[in-house]
Amino acid sequence: MKKLLSLLAVPIAAAALVVPGVSSAEPAPATTVEWVECPADAAAPGLECGTVRVPLDYRDPRGRTIEVMISRLASRNPEKRRGILLTNPGGPSPGLRFPAELALGGLPQEVRDAYDVIGVDPRGVGHSTPVTCDLTPEQQFAGSVPPYAVTPADVREWAGETREIARRCAASPTAHLMPHTTTANAARDLDRVRAALGEPKASYLGYSYGTYLGAVYATLFPRTTDRVVLDSNLGAGGWDVEGGRMYARGVEDTFPDFARWAAARPDLGLGGTPRQVRAKYFDLAGRLDAAPAQGLTGPQFRMLTFVGLYGTGDAAFTRLADLWRALDTGTPLPPDDTPLPPGLENIIAGRLHIVCGDSRWPTSVKTYERNVAVDRVRYPMFGAAAANIQPCAFWPDPVEQPVRISDRGPRNVLMVQNERDPATPLAGARSTRRAFGDRAAMVTADQGGHGAYVLGANTCANNAVTGYLLGGRRPAHDLRCAAETPRTSGSTRTPAIG
């Protein structure tokens, strides 16, 4: 269970539709951020933190307020500083440490000179006014990516688990925050942060779920967003029911990279061809479905493989291969010293509040049974997990319609995307690209893994993003970057994204 919880914390979206009575151009009240030492679990060299008060309900902007905590890795070159760069690591998850993680992961010094890099704990999450569902450790696992449904009865059984999770969220001490903990309100909070920092405009860099937050932010606030970079993109609907099903497509897109890598190393014993490696996956999953081994079931093995595909190259693939070999041969599993992130219950509860509050999910269990049956055939590796029922099926109706990503506004959006991504596949990114129309250009990189800019090895893609952030030089047309030889030297530390 610890291995699953720690890994699942990784993955742990025409005119804009705005809350009635709230204009996207409404000026935020002038405030001053007092920078202080960051909380212990977010502390990092050079990082300082502060809070901004924002409306709980933007339909009542002078009513009750909540806190949003932010961090700053300040530019140390006043002559080159051009503004602020708001960031989001995905998840939804805490983002206070993310500026420091980006710096450690290789964010170019020129970018750090040009911007104060700002981290944000989105409303409901981390050190911003938090939400809770009072979930047990087992329910925290259940509140993340659902398990592979081996039979239709598994969907019905899982429906009971997810219904109880939704009930606990609705009965928690923070239930009054549920209607207002949404991506649209998190985007409105970002504009309040911009104003509180005294900036006429803000640039933005978001990964994974953070691409949907950034797309909503750019849609609601076209006049106060500057240079917007969206990396590893959700579809135009965000993390709705179809967005969740896209995981299955992502696994099918990405797995061949691992299969070729393993087949080129026959000493691993996982197969001498990519087809044989794929067959080994189904063999191991079937054996564990019939008889769990070393504390892992078939659905858990599929989940760990899915998470293992987030990385790429020798280090990531070796870890995944070691897991497979141990299960195949009955030898002890490789040690797992990955610490559980602090506040995991809040991270899972916050994810549920935001994802379930953004859009209405199907409420019929039969719908999920049909989706699972279809995707089990269409995407056999992971389809019966990605399509399985989630607590959102039993969530209260959202208080506002989802924001429709709009092509109305300046041409200030640069999307960057790996061609093979297990969590946010290229097919979803293309739907967001279409929704933005002429506002966006997209750079695709012929590589796998989750995360391209800074995280990936493609110089072409990295240079395109850095050039845009520094000089506003965005490709005139969509750009495809060819595959490059993986880097064999340099730092292996990369920021964690959800």
Side-chain angles (χ1 to χ4, degrees), residues 143-164:
S144 189
V145 182
Y148 191 96
V150 179
T151 69
D154 291 338
V155 180
R156 296 190 290 274
E157 181 179 354
W158 196 247
E161 301 282 349
T162 56
R163 188 190 299 271
E164 174 60 16

Side-chain angles (χ1 to χ4, degrees), residues 127-355:
H127 292 279
S128 295
T129 300
V131 298
T132 182
C133 290
D134 289 332
L135 301 177
T136 66
E138 291 75 16
Q139 289 171 330
Q140 292 170 37
F141 166 65
S144 189
V145 182
Y148 191 96
V150 179
T151 69
D154 291 338
V155 180
R156 296 190 290 274
E157 181 179 354
W158 196 247
E161 301 282 349
T162 56
R163 188 190 299 271
E164 174 60 16
I165 290 171
R167 186 200 67 77
R168 289 181 74 106
C169 293
S172 79
T174 62
H176 64 286
L177 301 175
M178 286 178 68
H180 313 295
T181 309
T182 64
T183 297
N185 281 335
R188 296 176 180 117
D189 293 343
L190 290 180
D191 203 56
R192 291 297 178 109
V193 169
R194 172 201 60 77
L197 295 176
E199 299 288 339
K201 290 189 175 184
S203 293
Y204 179 88
L205 171 62
Y207 293 78
S208 195
Y209 160 79
T211 63
Y212 182 57
L213 173 59
V216 171
Y217 179 42
T219 296
L220 291 178
F221 300 97
R223 291 191 288 277
T224 54
T225 47
D226 191 11
R227 298 169 185 173
V228 176
V229 177
L230 309 178
D231 187 324
S232 306
N233 293 263
L234 284 170
W239 201 343
D240 58 6
V241 64
E242 293 304 317
R245 292 175 75 179
M246 291 294 286
Y247 284 149
R249 172 73 176 267
V251 170
E252 298 286 351
D253 287 350
T254 309
F255 184 79
D257 286 353
F258 173 72
R260 285 190 293 271
W261 179 91
R265 294 160 177 78
D267 56 302
L268 294 175
L270 302 179
T273 67
R275 178 174 292 187
Q276 290 173 349
V277 176
R278 182 179 173 91
K280 177 63 71 174
Y281 171 87
F282 290 106
D283 171 55
L284 288 171
R287 283 154 55 184
L288 292 168
D289 286 338
Q294 304 198 61
L296 288 182
T297 65
Q300 290 170 339
F301 164 73
R302 294 178 179 92
M303 189 76 73
L304 291 171
T305 298
F306 162 60
V307 176
L309 295 173
Y310 269 52
T312 188
D314 287 348
F317 286 167
T318 296
R319 287 192 296 270
L320 183 55
D322 286 346
L323 171 69
W324 281 35
R325 292 178 70 190
L327 292 170
D328 191 35
T329 60
T331 55
L333 294 176
D336 176 26
D337 56 1
T338 307
L340 291 176
L344 182 58
E345 195 279 340
N346 167 253
I347 293 174
I348 299 299
R351 183 196 81 86
L352 290 173
H353 278 65
I354 294 170
V355 171

Side-chain angles (χ1 to χ4, degrees), residues 85-89 95 98-99 102 117-120 190 203-206 213:
L85 180 66
L86 302 171
T87 63
N88 183 278
F98 197 49
L102 284 169
V117 185
I118 307 297
V120 182
L190 290 180
S203 293
Y204 179 88
L205 171 62
L213 173 59

